[in-house]
Structures are given as structure tokens and as C-alpha cells.
Amino acid sequence: MSAALSMYETSVPVFLRALRNLRHALEKGEAHARAQGYEPTVLLQSRLYPDMLPLVRQVQIATDTAKFGAARLAGVESPRFEDVETTFDELYARLEAVAAYLGTFDDAALAGSETRTVTLSTRTRGDLSFDGRGYLLGFVLPNLFFHAATTHAILRHNGVPLGKLDYLGPAD
């Protein structure tokens, strides 16, 4: 019988994989735009529907979700970013900064976090309170995957040749 998964194993490596795959999709998007002869930054303001956030915000929210997720589970303060990215290179730098930050966490940092109370304020639903396990499984992971999948869908909608394996990434 195998050992139970730790909170670290079910969070940080999953966050890193999602962000790595997100970068891969962005790189394919940038390359596709260049090959088609248009300015790649056009993609950053693309949306699936007028009332949805543009691609750049999807990436910003995905990275925030990962860094705040790890920090809140560990009971520490997360670095803040200004959300000023306007180029692919700036988004890549943001992804790298978040990956480096996530690299500062280990099993010990998240030990016991499954029962830690996590409270966050939202614009539309007020304050939400979870135990760590509920926060990770019911809030962080679904949000991270939503924004990663929406980024993928925006790129695909704009003709970038992406498939499911681009979203899933290589088998580890």
C-alpha cells in the first residue's frame, strides 16, 4: 500500500506543472502569431467573449492563484505583482518569478496545512473560509485549471495549433 499524498505533493508540483504547460501554450501562441505575420501582443488582449477577461488577465490570475495558494496554505504572506504585463516576455518573466517562489516551499512548509483555516475576501461572494484541504481542492486547483484552460481556449480560438496534449504537458 502506498503512503497518503501530502498537501505539498497535491499542490506545489501540480501548480508548477500547470504553469509550465501554460508557458508552453503561450510560446506556441507567440510563435504562431509571428509565423502568420501579425504582432503577437494582439493575442494578449484576445477574449473568448466580450464580457470575459483577456488572455493577459487569465495568465495573471493563474499565476496569482498558484502563488497565493501556496502562501496561504503555508500561512505566509505572498509577494504581490502589479499586473502590468503587456508582452509575452513580461508574462514569461512573471511565470518564472512565480515558479521560483513556489520553489521555496517544501513538504515541511505545508505540513499540517490541511486543517489550517484559510479566509479570503472576494468581490462577489464576500469572505470565504475553508480548511486547507477544502481551499486547495475546492478553490485553488479549480481556479488554476479554469484560467489555464481559458488561456488555452483563447489561443486555440485565435488559430494557434494547440491540442489536449499541449494542455496536459509531458508525462512526468
Side-chain angles (χ1 to χ4, degrees), residues 13-95:
V14 178
F15 301 165
L16 288 168
R17 180 185 176 115
L19 296 179
R20 191 171 51 248
N21 296 344
L22 184 58
R23 181 183 175 120
H24 168 75
L26 291 171
E27 288 170 346
K28 283 189 84 167
E30 181 181 23
H32 176 77
R34 292 190 192 288
Q36 297 301 309
Y38 64 89
E39 175 55 43
T41 56
V42 168
L43 291 173
L44 300 182
Q45 292 306 315
S46 297
R47 304 165 187 257
L48 287 178
Y49 196 76
D51 69 350
M52 290 183 73
L53 295 172
L55 184 142
V56 68
R57 281 297 293 143
Q58 302 296 335
V59 176
Q60 291 165 342
I61 294 169
T63 55
D64 282 350
T65 299
K67 71 183 173 66
F68 286 131
R72 288 177 180 136
L73 288 171
V76 299
E77 193 67 31
S78 171
R80 303 268 176 184
F81 296 146
E82 295 298 317
D83 297 336
V84 295
E85 293 82 11
T86 60
T87 67
F88 277 89
D89 284 341
E90 290 171 345
L91 286 178
Y92 300 148
R94 184 181 179 118
L95 286 160

